[in-house]
Amino acid sequence: MHDGDTIRVRQGQLVERVRFACIDAPELAQPLGKESRDYLKSLIAQNGNRVTLKIVDTDRYRRKIAEVFSGGKFLQAEQVKGGMACVYEQYLSNCPDAAAVKQAQNFAQSSRVGVWSGNYTKPWDYRKMNR
């Protein structure tokens, strides 16, 4: 587990980094960054640390981009619903289940949880400011 939108998966001897499609979670150095990572870790642990991937692309860092499921839950939607990530509009066209993450974000915003509970900098803005 790296952060709230990137995990390492193992299949046999192969270990790969997988970037979550559709969402962007706070960087570890940002407020809620570690909480986002830990929330994701707890979601995956509920299913014995097993995930299913729907790979949609590969990024410039050679990570697989995927929709990630665990225990019947769509983890992107769970992260967003918990306020631990934002919909990543810039890359939403690469997201087969975009409607689910948008609905989750509407819920999180109206509930004012996590990144929607205060004046948090979006992860993409944070990265631009800290290059």
Side-chain angles (χ1 to χ4, degrees), residues 13 15 18 22 26-27 76 81 87 89 97 99 109 118 121:
Q13 297 301 313
V15 177
V18 176
C22 323
E27 299 297 319
Q76 277 90 329
K81 185 178 177 184
V87 171
E89 295 283 346
D97 292 305
Q109 286 174 313
T121 302

Side-chain angles (χ1 to χ4, degrees), residues 22-23 86-93 102 105 124:
C22 323
I23 68 170
C86 304
V87 171
Y88 206 172
E89 295 283 346
Q90 180 179 348
Y91 296 103
L92 211 52
S93 62
K102 284 183 169 185
Q105 182 161 290
W124 49 88

Side-chain angles (χ1 to χ4, degrees), residues 57-128:
D57 206 352
T58 302
D59 70 9
R60 65 181 181 212
Y61 305 109
R62 289 186 259 165
R63 297 177 297 191
K64 301 290 185 203
I65 308 289
E67 289 189 334
V68 184
F69 301 84
S70 185
K73 294 179 180 176
F74 178 33
L75 295 184
Q76 277 90 329
E78 295 297 317
Q79 279 288 87
V80 171
K81 185 178 177 184
M84 295 293 128
C86 304
V87 171
Y88 206 172
E89 295 283 346
Q90 180 179 348
Y91 296 103
L92 211 52
S93 62
N94 221 11
C95 185
D97 292 305
V101 292
K102 284 183 169 185
Q103 182 178 11
Q105 182 161 290
N106 289 339
F107 174 85
Q109 286 174 313
S110 65
S111 302
R112 300 193 52 75
V113 296
V115 298
W116 306 107
S117 66
N119 190 19
Y120 289 97
T121 302
K122 301 292 182 273
W124 49 88
D125 292 331
Y126 178 85
R127 287 190 298 273
K128 281 181 193 169

Side-chain angles (χ1 to χ4, degrees), residues 2-3 25-35 37 126 130:
H2 177 69
D3 58 22
E27 299 297 319
L28 291 176
Q30 274 187 271
L32 296 179
K34 290 181 175 87
E35 292 86 346
R37 177 199 59 201
Y126 178 85
N130 290 282

Side-chain angles (χ1 to χ4, degrees), residues 34-45:
K34 290 181 175 87
E35 292 86 346
S36 176
R37 177 199 59 201
D38 294 346
Y39 187 71
L40 178 59
K41 194 180 291 190
S42 74
L43 290 171
I44 294 171

